[in-house]
Amino acid sequence: MKKTFTSLLTLAVLTAPLLLSAQTVEKIDTAMVSKIKNEGMNRSQVMDILSMLTDIHGPRLTNSPGYKNAANYAKTTLESWGVQNVVFDTWEEDFGRGWQLKKFSLSSLAPAYFPMIAYPKAWSPGVKGVIQAEAVYLDISKEEDLKKYEGKLKGKIVMFSLPTPVKPGFKPDATRLSDSTLLVMSNAGVVEAQGGRRFSSPQEPQRLAYAKWALCQKEGAVAVIEASSSFRLEDGTLTVAAATVPYPAETPFSKRVAAYKENAPKILPQVVVSAEHYNRLVRQIQKGQTVKLELALETAFTPSAPGYNVIGEIPGTDLKDEVVMIGAHLDSWHSGTGTTDNAAGSAVMLEAIRILKTLGVSPRRTIRIALWGGEEQGLLGSKSYVKRTYGERLDKAYPYDSIKVTPAAEKFSVYLNMDNGSGRFRGIYLQGNENIGNIFRVWFKPFNKVGASTLTLQNTGGTDHLSFDAIGLPGFQFIQDPLEYGTRTHHTSMDVYDKAVEGDLKQNASIVASFAWLAAMRDEKMPRK
């Protein structure tokens, strides 16, 4: 890669603020890193692993048959490589029900036939057989509008949401991080976590939405369809998550029951439709046409059960009681095959372990891999593991000063995570840990020529490294090129194998294997904040 002035400037800026106060120079086993790179780039199995997790076992909704099949594949694969102590690490409480889509189709029959781009929400109930029903659009902007639909929804398919504006996309879906963006990140200071967004009247939108749901349920609608309402997605791509369980606005979140829970209240079948097709139906109705739809939706629930992670390790030698962890979440949403979110991360972590086992080396510290479940429902798998193994925060409000840790936490060195899509690593988020910057800077040197060098004190949210960071353990997420993650694949029907870039994943696995090895071989554990 041609070096630019900005690239060199980035490296120069990175050096100054992140040096350790100590005078020691971080050592790096360049011969071992070269072996790792050679194996990872020239004899990689990462794409085959990715295909098994996605094409064969995807999607992997938590506690679904797909998740269980993928977890079994990961466990048997790790064992076949000689990884030890491979277990299903069960959480301390039930996650809830699994869910599987057995059959689905949605078509418009009148005023013109066309098959619709659509997908059911997870944990949605099904319908009996194939139903044909008129579609009714809820054109409601205030609670007074509800009255005009009383007595008109029984046996109907209700169009619940407003149409979604669709505009030409003048920006590319796929991008890589520019040198100028990385430079800004490297110069950024620590950004403290803040409270959630505040609205001048947070109750009103929720109150109206609940009233609409209650009306549909009371009046006997047979199903509800909604427009895929992401601010970024067009061209038939859908964003699909869990089915809505309606609650009055004043109901505390602690009192609300998610759709996957065994005791969830009865809800209507729910389907997300592409913005373009949904908008067409709205325009037809607004022109006085009668819209008739045909829906087939067969789903299957599995009994409520505890969630679980997949854990395995390469035992250490003289420092075997100390632990270096690498990980990613194995679960996914269900409309695609869960490739970029986050089979890519799981495949990279599995490949990193394969590389180290293939080289036949023995680390000083134990290197442990974790593939987490329930990340999409709130980091559930990693939170449970950290709580049971290393400790927890005792206070429930920011700034979370009270932490209780176990003796095992004193033996913990570092956790490395991948969960920002399938793009190549460009550096790492330091979580405000200035003490560790110089170490990572040296470790990245063998990968500087392929664009991995940026260190930022900033944090990235929403990934499993936060479960470790929450109790003061070093936990980190790599900076990644976005590719199409934020514009096309995150939680969407286009989160598929074809969107992964082989060269990026090979590079990432080589970096993870190198970092895990270097952390396992240091004389000291990784420094904390």
Side-chain angles (χ1 to χ4, degrees):
M1 179 182 293
K2 181 179 179 181
K3 290 185 178 180
T4 64
F5 173 76
T6 308
S7 297
L8 295 174
L9 180 60
T10 300
L11 291 174
V13 173
L14 291 176
T15 305
L18 299 172
L19 289 175
L20 289 172
S21 57
Q23 298 301 311
T24 57
V25 177
E26 181 67 17
K27 299 176 182 178
I28 182 170
D29 185 346
T30 55
M32 182 60 183
V33 172
S34 294
K35 291 179 181 178
I36 290 173
K37 291 170 65 177
N38 180 52
E39 178 65 27
M41 300 305 294
N42 297 322
R43 288 173 291 279
S44 176
Q45 294 183 22
V46 71
M47 297 306 287
D48 180 62
I49 296 169
L50 183 66
S51 181
M52 289 298 297
L53 292 176
T54 58
D55 296 328
I56 307 303
H57 300 308
R60 304 169 307 281
L61 194 69
T62 301
N63 270 19
S64 71
Y67 181 87
K68 292 178 181 178
N69 292 337
N72 283 327
Y73 163 74
K75 184 175 185 290
T76 57
T77 299
L78 287 167
E79 290 170 339
S80 73
W81 294 335
V83 176
Q84 297 186 28
N85 304 322
V86 185
V87 298
F88 291 148
D89 173 67
T90 303
W91 310 345
E92 67 268 30
E93 60 183 25
D94 276 7
F95 165 77
R97 303 175 294 174
W99 181 89
Q100 185 178 19
L101 181 62
K102 306 288 286 187
K103 181 185 295 185
F104 171 72
S105 66
L106 179 65
S107 300
S108 174
L109 302 180
Y113 175 82
F114 63 96
M116 299 179 68
I117 301 173
Y119 212 92
K121 290 184 178 181
W123 293 287
S124 169
V127 301
K128 293 182 178 181
V130 178
I131 63 172
Q132 294 182 355
E134 181 183 346
V136 177
Y137 170 50
L138 291 186
D139 188 5
I140 292 174
S141 59
K142 55 186 182 297
E143 290 191 39
E144 289 77 8
D145 295 334
L146 295 167
K147 293 183 180 179
K148 61 185 178 182
Y149 295 100
E150 291 179 356
K152 298 180 180 179
L153 302 184
K154 185 175 179 61
K156 303 298 194 297
I157 296 175
V158 176
M159 299 172 60
F160 191 87
S161 62
L162 296 173
T164 298
V166 177
K167 299 178 180 180
F170 293 104
K171 295 182 179 180
D173 282 348
T175 57
R176 292 195 183 275
L177 293 173
S178 65
D179 287 338
S180 59
T181 298
L182 293 170
L183 181 60
V184 170
M185 294 176 70
S186 69
N187 283 326
V190 180
V191 179
E192 294 292 346
Q194 302 295 325
R197 292 182 297 171
R198 298 181 184 276
F199 299 91
S200 57
S201 181
Q203 297 287 320
E204 185 60 30
Q206 294 181 45
R207 183 172 288 113
L208 182 58
Y210 174 73
K212 290 169 65 178
W213 281 110
L215 177 69
C216 293
Q217 192 95 31
K218 176 185 175 182
E219 295 290 325
V222 294
V224 169
I225 64 174
E226 303 172 62
S228 183
S229 57
S230 172
F231 67 93
R232 56 186 163 78
L233 292 178
E234 298 161 350
D235 305 323
T237 300
L238 306 172
T239 301
V240 190
T244 300
V245 180
Y247 280 97
E250 58 272 14
T251 304
F253 284 100
S254 61
K255 301 296 183 181
R256 302 185 185 197
V257 181
Y260 54 82
K261 289 296 186 180
E262 186 73 34
N263 62 337
K266 182 180 179 180
I267 59 175
L268 292 171
Q270 300 173 27
V271 176
V272 175
V273 178
S274 70
E276 295 88 347
H277 284 178
Y278 189 91
N279 294 350
R280 181 182 180 184
L281 299 184
V282 172
R283 291 191 296 268
Q284 290 173 339
I285 290 173
Q286 289 174 339
K287 286 179 168 56
Q289 300 291 311
T290 297
V291 172
K292 190 173 183 180
L293 305 179
E294 181 177 88
L295 171 65
L297 174 56
E298 181 184 349
T299 66
F301 289 85
T302 56
S304 183
Y308 57 92
N309 313 306
V310 182
I311 305 287
E313 59 190 25
I314 303 174
T317 53
D318 61 309
L319 298 175
K320 63 181 180 181
D321 292 336
E322 298 182 5
V323 175
V324 170
M325 286 195 73
I326 62 174
H329 72 87
L330 184 61
D331 66 303
S332 77
W333 285 113
H334 60 295
S335 62
T337 60
T339 298
T340 66
D341 190 20
N342 184 29
S346 293
V348 161
M349 298 302 161
L350 287 166
E351 170 67 1
I353 290 293
R354 185 201 67 81
I355 291 170
L356 295 175
K357 288 300 297 181
T358 298
L359 294 177
V361 292
S362 298
R364 299 182 66 190
R365 291 179 180 84
T366 295
I367 298 176
R368 185 174 296 160
I369 181 174
L371 303 180
W372 309 113
E375 189 273 349
E376 296 294 1
Q377 288 73 46
L379 313 184
L380 299 182
S382 59
K383 282 181 178 179
S384 172
Y385 177 84
V386 169
K387 179 181 178 180
R388 287 179 285 111
T389 310
Y390 297 119
E392 62 180 319
R393 281 179 164 173
L394 300 180
D395 48 3
K396 304 301 180 183
Y398 183 81
Y400 306 109
D401 291 326
S402 180
I403 297 173
K404 177 183 179 182
V405 296
T406 68
E410 299 303 318
K411 299 290 186 178
F412 184 84
S413 182
V414 67
Y415 173 73
L416 303 169
N417 191 75
M418 176 176 164
D419 184 21
N420 282 171
S422 59
R424 67 179 176 179
F425 292 167
R426 305 301 303 277
I428 200 165
Y429 297 92
L430 297 179
Q431 297 289 132
N433 188 343
E434 295 178 285
N435 297 322
I436 211 164
N438 190 55
I439 297 171
F440 284 149
R441 183 171 59 83
V442 174
W443 290 4
F444 270 123
K445 280 186 177 180
F447 302 95
N448 286 172
K449 290 183 179 180
V450 292
S453 62
T454 300
L455 310 179
T456 179
L457 288 171
Q458 292 177 320
N459 165 41
T460 184
T463 80
D464 289 296
H465 74 288
L466 296 178
S467 299
F468 294 84
D469 185 68
I471 63 167
L473 299 180
F476 303 96
Q477 162 68 34
F478 290 95
I479 300 168
Q480 296 179 244
D481 276 334
L483 301 182
E484 300 171 278
Y485 188 59
T487 57
R488 185 60 58 185
T489 67
H490 181 234
H491 293 183
T492 77
S493 55
M494 285 294 103
D495 187 4
V496 293
Y497 176 90
D498 309 80
K499 297 297 185 179
V501 178
E502 182 174 358
D504 288 20
L505 297 183
K506 287 181 177 180
Q507 177 178 311
N508 294 356
S510 299
I511 291 175
V512 170
S514 297
F515 275 40
W517 175 259
L518 293 170
M521 298 303 290
R522 296 183 83 242
D523 289 335
E524 303 293 336
K525 298 191 301 292
M526 299 293 279
R528 306 185 181 187
K529 295 180 186 179

